[in-house]
Amino acid sequence: MPADTVSVTGWGRTAPTTARLIRPRTYEEAAAAVRTCGTRGGIARGLGRAYGDAAQNAGGAVLDMTGLDRIHAIDVDGGTVLCDAGVSLHRLMEVLLPLGWFVPVTPGTRYVTVGGAIGADIHGKNHHVSGSFARHVLSFELLTADGEIHTVGRGTPLFDATAGGMGLTGVILTATVRLQPVETSLMSVDTERAADLDDLMARLTATDHRYRYSVAWIDLLARGTSMGRSVLTRGDHAPLDALPPRARRHPLTFRPARFPSAPVFVPEGLLGRTTVGLFNELWYRKAPRARAGELQKIPTFFHPLDGVPHWNRVYGRGGFVQYQFVVPYGHEEALRRIVQLISERRCPSFLAVLKRFGEGDPGWLSFPMPGWTLALDIPANLTGLGAFLDDLDEEVAGADGRVYLAKDSRLRPELLAGMYPRLAEFRKLRAELDPRGVFTSDLSRRLSL
């Protein structure tokens, strides 16, 4: 089995660590890798889109699971797919859309593996309607620390520990996923501008139930009476009769556009307050005050950045921190304070989105809960960033909220138990299942998971 010693980072390109990268091509090779990964343990890795250190393992092994990428069976009538954990959501869309099916949940990138989607229990623009990814997983096969393969069904402790468990219960090998039926590969999209944060929250609260998908881009540099001004984008899969006659001939075509890759070298400070402020002003002003029923392609609506390979390079060699938190409904004042703090701090973030979550799912370390979630990117070299984010963590924890582990790279461990009330159960099951600590990551060591 090929293995190389490489430097590994998350998508944010911060805090690289060195590990042995192992590339299993069969289930047997994956089991052999787990049995022989050494005293520093190992962790599964998909396409590397976790922003922080969840799929890094300093001095140990990292199992690149993308070689296990077979689609085994599709139930076209029942709407389920059985596939390897290394299959990407992009590949599923290529195969399933022509058959009239779509993935049940997709984040802001389709270059995520099914195993990673379960391990991080990813969410998308439809959480208020559809929940997170694991809600749609019927079962999966899990390779545990003893080298055995277990079929894990919904409603079991091992399922709930694995969904959102960041790969620390074992290596997911296959999964059976329930799909979303669609008539076309286009989206019917409504867009509107919100003048400030209160206007945005009022619009979302009053009308989100009308849409399957909903997200707001938010200008975190805007201050004063414009603080939190936003562009709200919502929609659903377009029905066949919404398409113009010519488009109805091939309603399920899926051909994502590709643009040139971001350059390898980007000058430091390119995304500073001035350039991001200009971008935010232009983005807000060019958005329509109100537009209904625009037809957009799936990549345009869900994954606009996927068209630019290696877009994370635009932050320069210092990389960036992606910070995402959720605060429960009833704690809107905490959200306002946090947005105000970010605005006053002048954090240059042009990828900032606000969404509403629906009911959470049973995963013990699953991130979503009913409430408001804000995600933003910040250049990692911003002066005083660590202390500033520590202050935001305190605000989030004080509002009974939590930080998303799949994007985290710097949370203090003492805050974790308050954010994730079932952490003790997770640690107990993990100790029983993996007493030697075979499955280990930089994230798990940092947070004592």
Side-chain angles (χ1 to χ4, degrees):
M1 215 177 349
D4 300 304
T5 299
V6 298
S7 178
V8 182
T9 73
W11 190 245
R13 304 175 74 209
T14 60
T17 55
T18 301
R20 286 186 302 113
L21 188 67
I22 304 172
R23 301 178 178 88
R25 293 293 183 265
T26 66
Y27 305 148
E28 293 76 17
E29 286 186 354
V34 167
R35 286 193 295 266
T36 61
C37 60
T39 57
R40 293 285 287 181
I43 192 71
R45 182 181 176 94
L47 289 166
R49 292 305 177 102
Y51 286 84
D53 54 5
Q56 299 175 216
N57 184 21
V62 170
L63 279 64
D64 179 345
M65 298 301 294
T66 56
L68 292 169
D69 60 354
R70 290 171 296 172
I71 297 175
H72 296 280
I74 301 170
D75 182 347
V76 177
D77 296 323
T80 61
V81 60
L82 168 62
C83 63
D84 284 345
V87 173
S88 70
L89 299 191
H90 172 81
R91 178 61 179 153
L92 287 182
M93 291 178 197
E94 286 184 321
V95 173
L96 296 172
L97 270 167
L99 303 176
W101 296 99
F102 189 63
V103 295
V105 172
T106 177
T109 174
R110 61 185 178 274
Y111 295 110
V112 175
T113 63
V114 169
I118 297 170
D121 200 12
I122 61 169
H123 57 273
K125 300 176 182 179
N126 59 340
H127 190 276
H128 63 293
V129 172
S130 302
S132 49
F133 193 87
R135 182 181 299 187
H136 307 273
V137 175
L138 304 180
S139 64
F140 53 78
E141 288 185 308
L142 186 72
L143 172 64
T144 51
D146 56 8
E148 298 296 318
I149 297 175
H150 306 264
T151 299
V152 183
R154 295 183 57 81
T156 62
L158 188 51
F159 188 103
D160 293 344
T162 302
M166 306 310 298
L168 298 173
T169 60
V171 179
I172 300 169
L173 297 177
T174 70
T176 301
V177 182
R178 186 174 57 240
L179 305 169
Q180 167 70 34
V182 295
E183 295 181 12
T184 75
S185 60
L186 293 175
M187 306 296 296
S188 177
V189 181
D190 294 354
T191 304
E192 58 189 289
R193 292 197 316 218
D196 55 38
L197 182 60
D198 286 337
D199 182 27
L200 172 63
M201 291 194 291
R203 291 172 189 249
L204 287 168
T205 301
T207 60
D208 243 15
H209 64 280
R210 301 177 189 169
Y211 299 90
R212 180 178 297 276
Y213 302 99
S214 177
V215 67
W217 168 87
I218 183 169
D219 182 358
L220 292 176
L221 284 175
R223 293 184 287 183
T225 58
S226 297
M227 187 188 78
R229 66 179 181 176
S230 306
V231 178
L232 181 55
T233 307
R234 295 181 289 186
D236 206 338
H237 299 278
L240 185 61
D241 59 13
L243 271 58
R246 187 171 182 177
R248 293 180 200 175
R249 300 175 192 170
H250 304 285
L252 292 165
T253 299
F254 180 66
R255 296 194 186 111
R258 297 278 283 182
F259 298 100
S261 176
V264 175
F265 174 75
V266 176
E268 295 297 320
L270 176 65
L271 296 181
R273 294 184 179 96
T274 301
T275 53
V276 172
L278 178 61
F279 170 87
N280 287 1
E281 182 69 27
L282 293 173
W283 191 259
Y284 181 76
R285 295 297 176 188
K286 85 175 188 66
R289 292 186 182 275
R291 180 175 60 202
E294 180 190 15
L295 293 178
Q296 292 184 5
K297 295 180 180 180
I298 278 173
T300 302
F301 182 76
F302 289 107
H303 318 116
L305 287 174
D306 279 348
V308 183
H310 305 293
W311 64 262
N312 57 339
R313 292 175 182 167
V314 301
Y315 291 87
R317 284 179 292 184
F320 69 103
V321 173
Q322 175 87 187
Y323 185 73
Q324 183 169 6
F325 67 89
V326 57
V327 294
Y329 296 126
H331 288 268
E332 284 74 15
E333 278 305 316
L335 177 62
R336 291 186 186 95
R337 282 196 304 274
I338 292 171
V339 171
Q340 184 172 359
L341 287 169
I342 295 169
S343 174
E344 291 175 348
R345 182 66 171 73
R346 308 294 289 156
C347 290
S349 176
F350 77 99
L351 293 176
V353 295
L354 183 75
K355 298 192 290 276
R356 294 174 80 249
F357 279 158
E359 290 300 316
D361 289 287
W364 293 348
L365 297 186
S366 184
F367 168 66
M369 64 166 72
W372 302 93
T373 181
L374 176 64
L376 62 146
D377 64 306
I378 311 172
N381 59 6
L382 191 69
T383 303
L385 179 60
F388 177 68
L389 292 180
D390 285 347
D391 291 341
L392 296 192
D393 290 342
E394 295 288 350
E395 290 279 353
V396 171
D400 298 323
R402 59 180 61 141
V403 168
Y404 191 17
L405 297 182
K407 295 184 177 181
D408 176 57
S409 58
R410 26 72 47 208
L411 181 68
R412 301 197 314 277
E414 60 267 24
L415 294 177
L416 192 65
M419 293 182 173
Y420 290 89
R422 305 195 72 173
L423 177 63
E425 294 174 74
F426 177 83
R427 285 171 169 161
K428 182 174 183 293
L429 183 142
R430 187 173 173 233
E432 295 170 352
L433 194 67
D434 183 9
R436 296 184 294 115
V438 171
F439 296 112
T440 307
S441 65
D442 291 354
L443 173 77
S444 71
R445 276 189 289 267
R446 177 169 56 83
L447 295 177
S448 299
L449 289 172

